[in-house]
Amino acid sequence: MALIVQKYGGTSVGSVERIQAVAQRVYKTVQAGNSLVVVVSAMGKTTDGLVKLANEISSNPNRREMDMLLSTGEQVTIALLSMALQELGQPAISMTGAQVGIVTEAEHSRARILHIDTTRLCRHINAGKVVVVAGFQGTSSAGEMEITTLGRGGSDTSAVAIAAALRANFCEIYTDVPGILTTDPRLVAEAQLMDDITCDEMLELASLGAKVLHPRAVEIARNYGVPLVVRSSWTDQPGTWVTSAKPQGRSLINLEIARPVDAVEFDTDQAKVALLRVPDKPGVAARLFGEISRQKVDVDLIIQSIHEGNSNDIAFTVTTPILKRAEAVAAAIAPALRNPSNPKSDEAEVMLEHNIAKVSIAGAGMIGRPGVAAKMFATLAEAGVNIQMISTSEVKVSCVVDATECDRAVLALRTAFEIEGGEQRSRGAGESACIDSPLPNCPPVRGVALDLNQARLAIRQLPDRPGMAAKLFGLLAQHNISVDMIIQSQRCRVIDGVPRRDIAFTVSRIDGENAKKMLTQVAAELGWGEVVLDSAIAKVSIVGAGMVGQPGVAAKMFEALAQHQINIQMIATSEIKISCVVAQEQGVKALQAIHAAFGLAGSEKVVVPA
């Protein structure tokens, strides 16, 4: 007998007929000898309808009252599904988040789960009942028993958290697609179903906008080793399994907020190559990294800064033993990148830096927790360590620093994030303690994602000294603004005796205006220049644990964009993700081009039910 948690989304329970179909599936699972907890969302578009009602009453509804209102949607579903099960002769009981013991922060509309008291839940399971739980909601721990909601995707989070608390055998997420696909089937009908995917890959895809699973649910599955499977509500297909390495022992207290960082890593075997003033036009990155790939040069981090005039800077890191080869490639291609209409203009220049190191913090849900990266930058600033490059992802934040400062940086980070035990050791190329190993025989790229809901902020002439990144991203974290891509320009200008660089980063579009206003207000005080906002961007990304040690992956992505005359505005990479910012109107074309380039299309078309 297995203990299973099943979750059904709003589409799956969108009508009486669909609720009855879910009841049949649940009944069949119980008849096979399993114990079951079922987590459900509100029916169909119920939540949207409730939001509309609130907006008809108030242009700025009170968040507490919104939680009170929105929590009613799931209560309708749990009662109806329990009745449907009882009609089949299956004992069942409906329970709200509060009744099931889900205790959260006292943070309305975006609360995180602190712990789950499973006493009552276990009593009903042991009595042979199916417990039908309202997803998306809980109750605060502050004695006042305030109803709280978990934010977008909250029912996924509820289901996986309950599975972790019960130590269930596995958690099934039922949705309107047959599992996890290589991209959005609404944009590429030939998107292919994956049999399995690692938690780290899924975290990246989920944070990039893949709506089949919420990042917070994947975080919990990864941290607590919950086997997770995504399946269709309409068929009996096996779906996609989300796998994770065996987790370290974790307390179920402070379930969603405890210890976001699992490890501090460093690599001193690094060097940086930068090409300054390359033309800002389609195909430049493709030519550069195509040649790098042909010369079998394995690149680690890649960044392309925001354009300045008609040119960009592109920088990448390599391991020290292959630096001479990387330098030769860059030097050979640089003259070909100069402006043919004005050959005497500033031409592409190659800049090398030998004595650098990469220090990283690894864990889960980095982007979704704005305070984590900010704490890393503040810690390095307090240690007097200047940051030269930054790479961010859901599972790792890395900073390139001077090699002489590496030991000091690692010690400070281990202290700040309370990482104990084990000897500090360097990680070689392609090696990581906290990145899930790729699944056997999997391609280097598993999925392609498009995010049309981002905006880019650029700050000109930021003083290049320790502490500036900490101040900037600390301010954003205080306002609960999550940052995704972060790019520091490679060009440094001395203005009034102060070396300065530009920095650009992406945030959710809804945060763009507020972030610009807040950063402009403090610009004079903190000594930086103009703050520029661009909301007409799209971010297209490839994800795959198998891309480590594969020099041609980035080149193939850039070439696919160049063939469709799509200009790359920014590039940022991590170990299992490469992201490019392009013009908003070219986003869908970019996604389709990259998906085709990596041969990810299947022979069958996926139809998403209305």
Side-chain angles (χ1 to χ4, degrees):
M1 177 187 290
L3 174 56
I4 303 169
V5 177
Q6 293 183 342
K7 179 261 176 178
Y8 294 90
T11 308
S12 303
V13 292
S15 66
V16 168
E17 292 74 21
R18 289 184 177 180
I19 288 173
Q20 289 171 329
V22 167
Q24 290 285 353
R25 187 186 288 270
V26 170
Y27 180 70
K28 182 179 176 182
T29 305
V30 175
Q31 290 300 299
N34 301 296
S35 297
L36 214 59
V37 175
V38 180
V39 178
V40 293
S41 300
M43 294 174 65
K45 302 290 185 181
T46 298
T47 302
D48 292 342
L50 293 172
V51 170
K52 183 180 178 183
L53 284 174
N55 289 331
E56 289 174 2
I57 296 290
S58 169
S59 60
N60 185 26
N62 178 277
R63 283 168 55 190
R64 178 194 182 275
E65 302 309 330
M66 283 300 292
D67 276 2
M68 186 69 76
L69 175 67
L70 298 183
S71 65
T72 63
E74 280 72 20
Q75 292 180 47
V76 173
T77 316
I78 60 175
L80 292 175
L81 181 55
S82 295
M83 293 175 193
L85 286 166
Q86 291 162 8
E87 285 296 303
L88 296 173
Q90 171 59 48
I93 184 170
S94 62
M95 297 178 76
T96 65
Q99 289 172 321
V100 87
I102 297 176
V103 178
T104 75
E105 303 169 303
E107 185 73 43
H108 289 293
S109 80
R110 54 171 181 247
R112 287 184 177 268
I113 297 172
L114 299 178
H115 66 272
I116 301 176
D117 182 352
T118 60
T119 306
R120 188 175 179 186
L121 189 56
C122 289
R123 187 168 70 245
H124 289 303
I125 293 170
N126 293 335
K129 296 177 184 176
V130 171
V131 184
V132 184
V133 180
F136 173 67
Q137 62 181 248
T139 184
S140 69
S141 60
E144 296 180 358
M145 298 294 288
E146 288 287 320
I147 291 175
T148 55
T149 63
L150 309 182
R152 187 178 66 85
S155 292
D156 286 353
T157 306
S158 300
V160 182
I162 289 170
L166 290 172
R167 293 181 170 83
N169 294 84
F170 55 90
C171 178
E172 298 177 314
I173 305 291
Y174 285 93
T175 183
D176 52 6
V177 291
I180 297 164
L181 302 164
T182 50
T183 195
D184 187 342
R186 298 168 182 84
L187 301 177
V188 180
E190 298 80 12
Q192 189 172 345
L193 178 69
M194 294 182 241
D195 293 332
D196 43 31
I197 187 171
T198 68
C199 262
D200 284 344
E201 291 169 322
M202 190 64 241
L203 257 178
E204 296 291 4
L205 288 172
S207 72
L208 291 166
K211 297 179 176 62
V212 69
L213 272 176
H214 195 272
R216 282 170 59 184
V218 188
E219 273 182 56
I220 298 168
R222 180 188 189 273
N223 288 339
Y224 293 92
V226 177
L228 195 58
V229 60
V230 180
R231 291 183 171 142
S232 170
S233 298
W234 324 112
T235 71
D236 291 322
Q237 291 179 338
T240 305
W241 283 92
V242 182
T243 65
S244 58
K246 187 175 180 180
Q248 302 170 4
R250 277 180 178 266
S251 169
L252 288 163
I253 302 299
N254 292 332
L255 191 146
E256 276 201 275
I257 64 172
R259 213 179 76 199
V261 174
D262 295 324
V264 176
E265 301 172 2
F266 64 97
D267 184 357
T268 54
D269 193 23
Q270 293 255 317
K272 180 173 71 174
V273 181
L275 271 79
L276 308 184
R277 296 181 295 277
V278 299
D280 180 36
K281 63 182 182 182
V284 170
R287 290 181 66 185
L288 172 61
F289 289 98
E291 187 59 32
I292 285 172
S293 172
R294 283 188 285 276
Q295 297 300 323
K296 307 297 184 187
V297 175
D298 191 14
V299 172
D300 186 0
L301 302 181
I302 303 171
I303 66 165
Q304 177 181 306
S305 309
I306 52 171
H307 67 85
E308 186 169 328
N310 294 316
S311 67
N312 277 321
D313 301 336
I314 298 178
F316 56 93
T317 61
V318 295
T319 56
T320 305
I322 60 172
L323 175 60
K324 288 190 179 299
R325 234 185 319 154
E327 178 187 2
V329 172
I333 200 170
L337 298 178
R338 71 179 61 162
N339 188 344
S341 63
N342 186 12
K344 294 184 179 180
S345 65
D346 285 346
E347 63 182 62
E349 172 191 350
V350 179
M351 183 176 72
L352 302 179
E353 193 155 352
H354 296 258
N355 298 315
I356 63 169
K358 182 176 72 172
V359 293
S360 308
I361 55 173
M366 300 289 186
I367 293 173
R369 303 185 190 192
V372 176
K375 183 176 180 178
M376 179 186 192
F377 303 151
T379 299
L380 294 177
E382 288 166 9
V385 176
N386 197 34
I387 300 169
Q388 300 179 23
M389 293 171 71
I390 298 170
S391 166
T392 58
S393 77
E394 276 290 349
V395 295
K396 187 170 287 191
V397 180
S398 299
C399 295
V400 171
V401 302
D402 192 281
T404 60
E405 298 175 334
C406 180
D407 288 348
R408 189 162 78 248
V410 171
L411 181 61
L413 291 171
R414 289 176 66 87
T415 301
F417 289 102
E418 301 177 358
I419 304 298
E420 300 175 358
E423 184 181 348
Q424 298 173 11
R425 78 180 190 90
S426 174
R427 302 267 165 204
E431 183 187 9
S432 173
C434 291
I435 299 290
D436 286 346
S437 299
L439 296 159
N441 303 317
C442 74
V445 174
R446 307 300 310 282
V448 186
L450 175 66
D451 191 344
L452 292 168
N453 296 309
Q454 292 217 335
R456 177 179 59 214
L457 284 149
I459 301 179
R460 301 292 185 182
Q461 301 175 10
L462 198 78
D464 183 31
R465 58 173 179 253
M468 292 312 297
K471 288 179 180 177
L472 168 58
F473 296 107
L475 278 169
L476 293 167
Q478 287 171 22
H479 289 78
N480 203 36
I481 296 174
S482 293
V483 175
D484 188 358
M485 298 170 69
I486 301 174
I487 306 291
Q488 289 176 297
S489 68
Q490 295 304 296
R491 280 179 252 187
C492 187
R493 287 188 172 80
V494 178
I495 301 174
D496 298 328
V498 179
R500 296 174 181 272
R501 298 182 191 270
D502 296 340
I503 192 165
F505 52 92
T506 59
V507 298
S508 174
R509 188 171 297 164
I510 61 173
D511 290 327
E513 288 290 348
N514 287 339
K516 179 186 177 182
K517 182 178 178 182
M518 182 261 293
L519 295 175
T520 300
Q521 287 172 345
V522 299
E525 176 189 346
L526 295 177
W528 59 54
E530 183 185 12
V531 181
V532 182
L533 173 67
D534 183 359
S535 297
I537 65 166
K539 184 181 72 174
V540 62
S541 308
I542 58 174
V543 171
M547 71 172 64
V548 176
Q550 300 281 340
V553 174
K556 182 180 283 191
M557 180 183 188
F558 303 153
E559 178 60 30
L561 296 175
Q563 286 177 359
H564 289 77
Q565 291 297 301
I566 297 171
N567 194 34
I568 301 172
Q569 299 180 15
M570 291 169 66
I571 300 171
T573 70
S574 68
E575 281 149 308
I576 65 171
K577 178 179 72 173
I578 302 173
S579 295
C580 295
V581 168
V582 301
Q584 184 179 19
E585 67 270 15
Q586 294 183 307
V588 173
K589 185 199 293 186
L591 172 84
Q592 293 167 341
I594 293 168
H595 192 269
F598 285 99
L600 297 177
S603 56
E604 297 182 7
K605 292 189 176 182
V606 176
V607 179
V608 180

